[in-house]
Amino acid sequence: MGGTPTDLKLIDENGRRIDGRLPEEMRPLKIEAGVLKRADGSAYVEWGNNKVMAAVYGPRECHPRHLQNPERALVQCHYNMASFSVDDRKRPGPDRRSHEISKIISEALTNVVFTEYFPRTSIDVYIEVLQANAGTRCAGLTAASVALADAGVPMRDLVASCAAGKVADTVVVDLNKEEDNFGNADIPVGYVPRTGEIVLLQMDGDLSQEQFEKGLGMAVEACKKVSVLQRDALKRRYAAKADEGAEPTEIREGA
Ligand code: ADP
């Protein structure tokens, strides 16, 4: 809308970004755990102008059956962007991008879930993007980890996720839509704070090795901040459950 790459100033003379942030500054992030009654676990994330819901079902019988693994659970993520989540209506239904994102999030989560505890089962993770403004795979993975913990799925740690990238030759963290569209590179990262493992790493665009290493370091630092907010959301959830009294550990309805 109006702005073109040439007349858009992604970094101003004070080193501020288009929304006023400094390079290492993330957009505001809010996480709420346990927002859906009918899911085994759930989480809602508002991250800048992204709004993402994650729901977890399982461990439960694996369908289709030929995917069953006799030794471990299968973590199956289904990422979907609502048709009303972007400026131009998105064509509903799966596409190459949603398949890709579902796959990388499934793989990231498989690294932290104790899948060996639940042979032959499937742990289904649904990610619904209600409003998109770049960084939805990171918001989705962040929400999914909290939803898995809310479902009581045993994990080594939560995966925290945030992207870094390059705009106007400056390495920055957590790109917004304009930066994603007109910037030079985007590196989404999924990080496991307890072990220091990186379980999701993609890169699109051009970066020197030095810029890549700087961006990766900045994304990891941002992930550590995300991780604190994930834990806070779960603590609030469990404090609320305790306040509800004796019944509420089991809130499944009409299963
Ligand atoms: P991510 O959301 O993880 O950053 P992409 O880099 O593929 O993933 O997408 C960046 C942003 O582009 C999305 O967050 C969304 O705002 C927008 N976008 C993606 N796909 C579409 C689409 N089919 N129609 C309109 N906008 C889209």
Side-chain angles (χ1 to χ4, degrees), residues 81 86 90 97 132-137 177 180 186:
M81 237 169 57
V86 287
K90 183 200 163 280
R97 179 177 169 276
N133 190 263
T136 60
R137 73 195 64 204
K177 186 76 172 82
D180 185 90
D186 186 16

Side-chain angles (χ1 to χ4, degrees), residues 61-70 74 76 120-122:
E61 195 175 348
C62 181
H63 290 290
R65 284 192 160 215
H66 70 268
L67 293 178
Q68 274 187 7
N69 183 328
L74 192 66
Q76 301 194 84
R120 295 186 192 283
T121 65
S122 173

Side-chain angles (χ1 to χ4, degrees), residues 14 23 38-39 55 57 66 77 89 95 100 106 120 123 126 148-149 182 196 200 212 218 226 230:
N14 302 316
R38 287 189 175 78
Y57 296 85
H66 70 268
C77 172
R89 176 179 176 278
D95 51 23
E100 171 210 319
S106 301
R120 295 186 192 283
I123 299 171
Y126 293 87
L148 280 167
F182 305 125
L200 185 155
F212 170 76
M218 283 166 73
V226 171
Q230 288 176 307

Side-chain angles (χ1 to χ4, degrees), residues 27 50 79 81 83 85-91 95 97 100-101 104 129 131-140 163 175-177 180-181 186 188 202 204:
R27 293 174 287 183
N50 291 311
Y79 166 103
M81 237 169 57
S83 51
S85 65
V86 287
D87 285 342
D88 305 318
R89 176 179 176 278
K90 183 200 163 280
R91 194 155 173 256
D95 51 23
R97 179 177 169 276
E100 171 210 319
I101 297 178
I104 55 152
V129 178
Q131 194 171 286
N133 190 263
T136 60
R137 73 195 64 204
C138 297
L175 280 67
N176 67 23
K177 186 76 172 82
D180 185 90
N181 282 2
D186 186 16
Q202 297 185 288
D204 107 35

Side-chain angles (χ1 to χ4, degrees), residues 21-113:
R21 285 183 290 154
L22 289 167
E24 61 285 352
E25 210 175 317
M26 283 165 48
R27 293 174 287 183
L29 170 59
K30 271 197 319 199
I31 307 176
E32 200 179 339
V35 289
L36 301 173
K37 281 214 153 113
R38 287 189 175 78
D40 294 329
S42 58
Y44 174 64
V45 163
E46 280 187 12
W47 192 335
N49 286 322
N50 291 311
K51 296 184 178 181
V52 178
M53 184 72 85
V56 166
Y57 296 85
R60 63 183 181 182
E61 195 175 348
C62 181
H63 290 290
R65 284 192 160 215
H66 70 268
L67 293 178
Q68 274 187 7
N69 183 328
E71 284 170 4
R72 51 190 66 245
L74 192 66
V75 181
Q76 301 194 84
C77 172
H78 313 265
Y79 166 103
N80 180 51
M81 237 169 57
S83 51
F84 52 78
S85 65
V86 287
D87 285 342
D88 305 318
R89 176 179 176 278
K90 183 200 163 280
R91 194 155 173 256
D95 51 23
R96 281 179 62 132
R97 179 177 169 276
S98 67
H99 279 297
E100 171 210 319
I101 297 178
S102 300
K103 182 173 185 293
I104 55 152
I105 293 182
S106 301
E107 287 170 2
L109 294 171
T110 300
N111 278 288
V112 290
V113 171

